Amino acid sequence: MYLEILEKIQEVLNSINPLILFAIVSLLGMYLFWSGSMKSRKNSSSVYDIFAISLFGGLIVGRICYIVMNWSEFSNFIWYWLPYEKYGEEIYLFRLLPWRFIRIWDWRIDILSMFVAFLLIASFWILVVKKWKWSHMFTTIFLTAEGMLATSFILLGGSTANQEWLTQGIIMILLPLVLFFLKNSVKKAIIGKKELRILMILDVIFISLIVTYVTYTYFIVEISNTEKISILTFAVWALLGMVFYIRESKKTDITIERVSSVRTVSKLDINQPIKLPKQK
């Protein structure tokens, strides 16, 4: 029964243009990035340009990594200065080098390298260009890339009838969903500084679980040196990101407490009458 369902899923996905599948992944990522950014009240226009630049840069890196890892597949093609070939009435586009390099709709992309590049570019743009707080955007960047990676695993696993990829993608989707429901429960039950600390702890625990699982799924199989570099970069980025996230979140708590106390004092001073010192 399960194999029959998997075969039907494969038929449906194979009948869909790869560009549409990529658009689905991109739209999901855009929604996740926008949703997370709005919680910290970021400007919508700034949110979309960060996502677009990071995704485009990740796409280029993922394509380059795939070409490097599978150069023998590309070296068999001849070079020609026009992007098309015409044989009688039939025209073929982007079949020869160097035009074949940019034929990304054939889904010849290293997915892991693509989303790791997305993390790095988005981090640079947020910290250096936008100068936003890391604690505001760390979980948003991570869950956006992880959500797109998980969706890609599910789509590729379904289109190739690869049960292992499909299962891994589903697990990578379920972990953030559990985190989402737990965080909503905390927000309804607890208010104040304690709430912020519990939410931070939940973020760190689930991000650690996701990073551990993704790293494990890659290292239990034989992977190329490029993929090893990508997965190690991913793990190091996540580790450093969590360290700075925790440090900055603690500083934010202290700042909020000081500001609130100052406002309270100011309000009391305004409402109370001014007492002049007694003259001798």
Side-chain angles (χ1 to χ4, degrees):
M1 182 67 180
Y2 177 74
L3 292 177
E4 292 179 0
I5 295 174
L6 192 61
E7 288 178 359
K8 290 181 179 178
I9 293 173
Q10 184 182 10
E11 291 178 5
V12 172
L13 292 176
N14 286 335
S15 63
I16 301 174
N17 191 302
L19 282 177
I20 296 177
L21 297 179
F22 180 76
I24 292 172
V25 175
S26 302
L27 289 173
L28 173 65
M30 184 182 295
Y31 172 75
L32 292 173
F33 197 79
W34 171 84
S35 177
S37 301
M38 290 302 100
K39 291 177 182 177
S40 56
R41 299 179 181 178
K42 297 293 185 274
N43 189 305
S44 297
S45 59
S46 297
V47 168
Y48 291 125
D49 66 11
I50 293 173
F51 178 81
I53 291 168
S54 303
L55 184 63
F56 182 72
L59 188 63
I60 293 174
V61 172
R63 180 65 169 182
I64 291 173
C65 289
Y66 180 87
I67 293 172
V68 171
M69 290 187 296
N70 301 273
W71 177 245
S72 59
E73 176 184 338
F74 290 86
S75 60
N76 294 326
F77 296 100
I78 62 173
W79 292 72
Y80 191 60
W81 64 282
L82 287 177
Y84 69 91
E85 307 163 74
K86 185 175 181 181
Y87 301 100
E89 298 298 326
E90 295 185 357
I91 296 177
Y92 301 94
L93 299 174
F94 297 94
R95 292 206 315 173
L96 304 178
L97 300 179
W99 308 102
R100 194 174 185 85
F101 290 149
I102 59 176
R103 189 176 172 174
I104 58 172
W105 56 86
D106 59 8
W107 209 249
R108 301 291 198 272
I109 301 170
D110 183 58
I111 298 175
L112 179 63
S113 301
M114 175 181 172
F115 293 119
V116 170
F118 174 90
L119 290 173
L120 297 177
I121 296 170
S123 301
F124 173 82
W125 217 260
I126 284 167
L127 294 175
V128 179
V129 179
K130 299 294 183 181
K131 301 186 185 301
W132 290 348
K133 286 184 177 294
W134 182 246
S135 58
H136 290 175
M137 297 300 296
F138 169 61
T139 54
T140 298
I141 298 172
F142 178 85
L143 293 177
T144 299
E146 193 273 345
M148 290 192 292
L149 179 64
T151 308
S152 299
F153 265 71
I154 292 173
L155 293 177
L156 288 174
S159 62
T160 59
N162 189 317
Q163 298 181 34
E164 190 174 357
W165 286 359
L166 196 59
T167 303
Q168 291 169 355
I170 292 172
I171 293 174
M172 284 191 281
I173 284 286
L174 288 176
L175 286 173
L177 286 176
V178 173
L179 173 62
F180 173 78
F181 287 118
L182 286 176
K183 290 177 74 171
N184 277 347
S185 300
V186 169
K187 289 177 182 178
K188 292 178 182 178
I190 303 171
I191 300 175
K193 190 164 67 173
K194 189 176 180 182
E195 174 197 353
L196 297 177
R197 290 181 178 176
I198 294 175
L199 293 177
M200 180 188 69
I201 292 170
L202 285 174
D203 284 335
V204 171
I205 290 174
F206 274 85
I207 288 174
S208 300
L209 288 174
I210 294 169
V211 172
T212 302
Y213 180 74
V214 173
T215 305
Y216 171 76
T217 57
Y218 271 88
F219 275 110
I220 59 174
V221 296
E222 186 177 350
I223 57 177
S224 65
N225 291 330
T226 303
E227 289 173 314
K228 288 178 182 177
I229 293 172
S230 296
I231 197 67
L232 288 174
T233 303
F234 172 64
V236 171
W237 178 91
L239 179 61
L240 292 176
M242 284 188 286
V243 170
F244 287 109
Y245 173 58
I246 293 170
R247 289 179 60 184
E248 196 170 288
S249 296
K250 288 182 177 179
K251 290 180 181 178
T252 303
D253 290 344
I254 294 171
T255 304
I256 291 171
E257 186 176 355
R258 286 178 178 173
V259 170
S260 61
S261 62
V262 170
R263 286 179 179 173
T264 305
V265 172
S266 302
K267 188 175 181 180
L268 289 173
D269 289 344
I270 292 171
N271 293 333
Q272 290 180 358
I274 299 173
K275 294 182 179 181
L276 297 174
K278 294 181 180 180
Q279 296 181 354
K280 293 182 180 180

